[in-house]
C-alpha cells in the first residue's frame, strides 16, 4: 500500500532517540539480508514470517514504514513501539502511545488527539483497526465527551456527515450544525472533535455560544472558556445565554416547548422567574409560557444543573 506509518519518540516536545539495540533486536530477524554488524542501514526491506513486507528508512530518531503489509509486520511495529516507548503514527491518524505520562512529552499539536492504549493492547491488529476503521456498513466513531452538552446529536447540534471537516480536513463522520461566532470562520462544516479539542476556537478565534450567565462572577473562567470555546452551541432566534447553577455551567438538554416542559415544573418556575424581567402582567407571562413550541417560535431551552440536577430553562425573548 502507498500508505506510511511512523514510529517516533518525543521528550519535552522534541524527537528523542529510540534504543538502537531494541530496533536491531525487533526488526533484525525480519530484515532482508540481516542487519549490519553495528548501527542501522539507511533504508532496508522487511519480510515477516507470514510473507508480508515493508520498506523502512530513517534512524533512531524516527523510522518510516512504507508499503507495509498488515499482519506480522505490523506486529513488529507494535513490538518496537512497546520496547522503545515510542509512539506509532499511522498517516492521517492521531499518534498512539502506550503510557498516558508520555502525552505531556508530545509537541503541543499532537497532544490533545493522542490515543493511549495499554502496552498489551498495542498489537498489529490494533494499528490495522485504526488505519481502516470502517468495515461496511460504516460505524461512526464515538463523539468526544462534552460535559456541558452531553448529547449534541439528540439536541440537533451535531449530525452525521461523510464530508471532511473544514478545520482539520479529516472525515470524522460527524459535523457541527450550530452557530459559529467569529469574524472570519466558516459557518458550517466543522467537526465536533475540532470543537472538543479547542482547535476550531483557536484557529478562527471563534465561540459557539455568545454568552454565559455569570451572576456575580461565580462561575470560574475555565468553565466559561470550556462552554464558549469547546462546547457545541445550539441555534436559537436570539443568541441564547448558557445557564449556570451551583457555580458551574449547566448541561444543555435541548429545545423544549410547553408540552416538553410539563414534566419539569422546576424548569417552568425558573423560566417564569426569567420572564419577570420583562415586567409583563402575570396573564401575559402565562400566555407566553403556553405558546412555547419545541419546533417553532418562541422556543424554550432546557438545562440541568450538573451538581444538584435542578432543571433550568430560558426562552427566546418575545421582542
Ligand atoms: Zn475537524
Ligand atoms: Zn444546582
Amino acid at each position: 500500500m502507498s500508505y506510511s506509518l511512523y514510529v517516533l519518540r518525543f521528550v519535552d516536545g522534541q524527537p528523542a532517540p529510540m534504543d538502537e539495540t531494541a530496533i536491531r533486536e525487533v526488526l533484525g530477524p525480519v530484515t532482508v539480508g540481516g542487519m549490519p554488524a553495528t548501527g542501522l542501514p539507511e533504508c532496508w526491506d522487511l519480510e515477516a514470517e507470514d510473507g508480508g513486507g515493508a520498506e523502512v528508512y530513517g534512524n533512531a530518531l524516527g523510522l518510516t514504514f512504507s508499503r507495509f503489509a498488515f499482519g506480522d509486520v505490523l506486529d513488529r511495529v507494535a513490538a518496537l513501539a512497546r520496547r522503545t516507548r515510542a509512539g506509532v503514527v499511522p498517516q492521517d491518524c492521531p499518534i498512539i502511545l502506550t503510557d498516558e505520562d508520555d502525552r505531556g512529552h508530545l509537541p503541543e499539536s499532537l497532544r490533545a488527539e493522542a490515543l493511549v492504549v495499554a502496552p498489551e493492547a498495542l498489537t498489529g491488529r490494533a494499528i490495522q483497526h485504526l488505519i481502516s476503521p470502517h468495515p461496511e456498513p460504516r460505524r461512526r466513531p464515538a463523539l468526544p465527551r462534552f460535559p456541558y452538552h452531553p448529547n449534541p446529536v439528540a439536541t440537533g447540534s451535531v449530525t452525521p456527515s461523510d464530508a471532511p471537516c473544514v478545520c482539520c480536513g479529516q472525515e470524522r463522520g460527524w459535523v457541527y450544525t450550530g452557530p459559529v461566532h467569529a469574524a472570519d470562520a466558516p459557518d458550517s462544516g466543522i467537526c465536533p472533535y475540532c470543537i472538543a479539542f479547542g482547535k476550531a476556537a483557536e484557529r478562527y478565534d471563534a465561540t459557539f455560544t455568545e454568552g454565559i450567565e455569570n451572576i456575580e462572577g461565580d462561575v470560574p473562567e475555565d468553565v466559561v472558556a470550556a462552554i464558549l470555546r469547546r462546547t457545541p452551541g445550539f441555534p436559537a432566534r436570539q443568541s441564547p445565554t448558557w445557564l449556570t447553577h451551583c457555580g458551574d455551567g449547566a448541561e444543555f438538554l435541548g429545545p423544549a416547548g410547553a408540552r416538553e416542559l410539563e414534566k419539569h415544573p422546576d424548569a417552568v418556575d425558573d423560566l417564569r422567574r426569567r420572564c419577570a424581567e420583562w415586567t409583563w402582567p402575570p396573564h401575559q407571562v402565562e400566555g407566553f409560557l403556553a405558546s412555547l413550541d419545541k419546533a417553532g417560535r418562541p422556543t424554550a431551552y432546557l438545562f440541568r444543573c450538573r451538581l444538584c440536577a435542578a432543571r433550568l430553562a430560558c426562552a427566546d425573548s418575545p421582542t
Side-chain angles (χ1 to χ4, degrees):
M1 36 194 323
S2 58
Y3 197 93
S4 296
L5 71 80
Y6 315 93
V7 176
L8 66 181
R9 198 173 149 245
F10 290 99
V11 173
D12 297 325
Q14 301 295 324
M18 294 177 274
D19 176 1
E20 208 172 74
T21 309
I23 300 174
R24 289 172 53 87
E25 287 176 0
V26 174
L27 300 182
V30 293
T31 293
V32 175
M35 282 279 169
T38 57
L40 297 172
E42 236 171 60
C43 118
W44 69 101
D45 291 320
L46 301 183
E47 190 179 326
E49 295 86 334
D50 63 357
E55 290 173 5
V56 189
Y57 59 91
N59 52 46
L61 282 172
L63 291 172
T64 301
F65 295 76
S66 57
R67 298 177 197 279
F68 59 88
F70 290 154
D72 289 351
V73 161
L74 277 189
D75 279 328
R76 293 275 166 179
V77 170
L80 181 64
R82 293 195 306 265
R83 269 281 300 270
T84 61
R85 209 165 154 167
V88 178
V89 192
Q91 196 176 315
D92 300 322
C93 293
I95 188 166
I96 313 167
L97 302 173
T98 52
D99 195 322
E100 181 59 44
D101 290 348
D102 290 340
R103 186 188 297 274
H105 283 292
L106 296 175
E108 186 78 53
S109 59
L110 300 179
R111 221 174 276 169
E113 288 186 334
L115 299 172
V116 178
V117 302
E120 61 276 13
L122 182 63
T123 58
R125 186 164 285 278
I127 298 171
Q128 178 181 342
H129 183 74
L130 197 78
I131 296 169
S132 47
H134 314 306
E136 292 302 327
R138 179 166 185 188
R139 281 177 52 226
R140 293 183 192 278
L143 286 175
R145 206 175 80 81
F146 294 107
Y148 298 103
H149 197 155
N151 194 342
V153 177
T155 64
S157 289
V158 169
T159 58
S161 164
D162 291 328
C165 166
V166 293
C167 180
C168 65
Q170 298 194 43
E171 290 174 25
R172 302 290 207 163
W174 300 101
V175 69
Y176 169 63
T177 56
V180 180
H181 305 284
D184 193 16
D187 51 22
S188 63
I190 296 174
C191 79
Y193 302 85
C194 282
I195 294 178
F197 301 143
K199 198 167 172 175
E202 200 174 305
R203 176 159 173 191
Y204 306 118
D205 195 20
T207 64
F208 307 99
T209 292
E210 257 187 358
I212 175 167
E213 181 186 66
N214 197 357
I215 306 151
E216 293 161 7
D218 59 350
V219 178
E221 272 312 304
D222 57 332
V223 170
V224 174
I227 290 173
L228 301 187
R229 296 172 63 82
R230 296 192 302 277
T231 299
F234 55 91
R237 191 171 65 182
Q238 288 101 3
S239 303
T241 303
W242 204 278
L243 301 187
T244 61
H245 207 253
C246 296
D248 192 6
E251 54 187 25
F252 178 59
L253 300 179
R259 248 190 49 210
E260 291 76 24
L261 288 174
E262 268 173 21
K263 285 171 281 177
H264 305 297
D266 48 348
V268 179
D269 283 343
D270 186 52
L271 188 49
R272 204 174 270 124
R273 266 194 301 277
R274 292 171 202 281
C275 295
E277 287 174 17
W278 304 334
T279 61
W280 285 353
H283 75 270
Q284 198 177 348
V285 170
E286 295 311 310
F288 174 74
L289 295 177
S291 74
L292 291 167
D293 183 353
K294 183 177 179 178
R297 293 288 182 247
T299 301
Y301 305 95
L302 188 62
F303 290 80
R304 178 172 52 208
C305 174
R306 282 159 40 87
L307 287 112
C308 74
R311 307 282 167 147
L312 316 161
C314 57
D316 293 324
S317 92
T319 49

